[in-house]
Amino acid sequence: KGSQLIAEVAQGLPKVSADGRTYTFKIRKGFKFSPPSNEEVTAETFKYAINRDLNPKMQSPAAQFISDVVGAQAVIHGKAKEASGVVASGDTLKVTLTKKAPDFPSRIAMPFFCAIPTDTPITSNGVTKVAAAGPYYIDSWSPKRQLVLKKNPNYGGDRPQNLDRIIYTIGVTPQASLLEIKKGSADYAADGVPPTAHAELGPKYGPT
């Protein structure tokens, strides 16, 4: 089965213009970013995220996925600060493409384009903490070592928040993950466990 797009912060899937080039999103109220920000999630915050990804200072791989937005090339080449095809007004976000592209909703749903506070720095070095509008946010990040997620107290959606904190240790080998699972010190092996361990773990923990 293929994946299906489901609107959350948007009121629904975007309205598409007759020529297939302009997508209009209506943004729901009631969503705020995680601490330390209390900024509301608005059409402007999505616009900022798109233009930030296009900014050449970011050197972001995200730019290639929205290069067909009207005005995107001007931003990518440092000739403009904002793409003229991205317009935010009140609760409405409009994105116009240079040509019809039915795959645009799937591309704009990628994590690159999640709303972010409008004071998020523009730097190719990245930032260790980014306020998020989803059920969890990055509380701390040690590159190549550890990522800590915490529950977003400002989240206004329906996705579950069953855990207060999630600690993701980066670079753990499948064998080490297996040992931690057996000791009860790990709940999930993102990079898997040795194939030979599946028969042992399945009856005890159920299918993955």
Side-chain angles (χ1 to χ4, degrees):
K1 287 184 178 181
S3 58
Q4 180 179 358
L5 294 177
I6 299 175
E8 183 177 46
V9 180
Q11 293 179 12
L13 295 179
K15 180 180 178 181
V16 186
S17 62
D19 63 2
R21 294 176 50 227
T22 300
Y23 290 79
T24 301
F25 301 83
K26 288 288 185 178
I27 308 304
R28 291 171 53 192
K29 295 186 180 297
F31 284 83
K32 288 186 177 182
F33 290 106
S34 59
S37 174
N38 285 310
E39 183 180 347
E40 285 193 29
V41 179
T42 64
E44 192 66 37
T45 60
F46 283 100
K47 174 185 173 181
Y48 180 77
I50 293 172
N51 284 307
R52 181 175 181 269
D53 287 326
L54 290 171
N55 193 304
K57 293 180 181 179
M58 288 295 297
Q59 300 179 26
S60 173
Q64 64 183 309
F65 297 107
I66 50 173
S67 60
D68 56 344
V69 171
V70 171
Q73 292 298 328
V75 181
I76 291 172
H77 293 105
K79 297 179 180 179
K81 292 183 177 180
E82 296 183 348
S84 58
V86 183
V87 179
S89 178
D91 65 352
T92 302
L93 176 72
K94 288 188 177 183
V95 182
T96 301
L97 309 180
T98 56
K99 60 182 178 180
K100 185 177 180 179
D103 68 332
F104 177 71
S106 296
R107 285 187 275 135
I108 204 65
M110 298 173 72
F112 293 121
F113 311 114
C114 289
I116 54 176
T118 53
D119 61 354
T120 304
I122 295 176
T123 169
S124 61
N125 294 325
V127 291
T128 56
K129 289 187 177 183
V130 180
Y136 289 88
Y137 69 98
I138 297 174
D139 179 62
S140 65
W141 172 50
S142 300
K144 299 181 180 181
R145 294 180 58 192
Q146 189 181 79
L147 184 73
V148 178
L149 304 178
K150 283 189 177 180
K151 183 187 296 186
N152 177 9
N154 298 328
Y155 177 60
D158 298 325
R159 285 184 285 167
Q161 292 179 291
N162 298 324
L163 303 175
D164 291 327
R165 185 172 64 160
I166 300 171
I167 301 174
Y168 180 83
T169 304
I170 301 167
V172 181
T173 66
Q175 186 61 42
S177 291
L178 175 62
L179 294 175
E180 290 183 1
I181 290 172
K182 287 183 175 181
K183 290 191 301 181
S185 57
D187 298 301
Y188 179 72
D191 294 322
V193 295
T196 53
H198 291 177
E200 175 189 358
L201 298 178
K204 187 173 183 180
Y205 299 105
T208 57

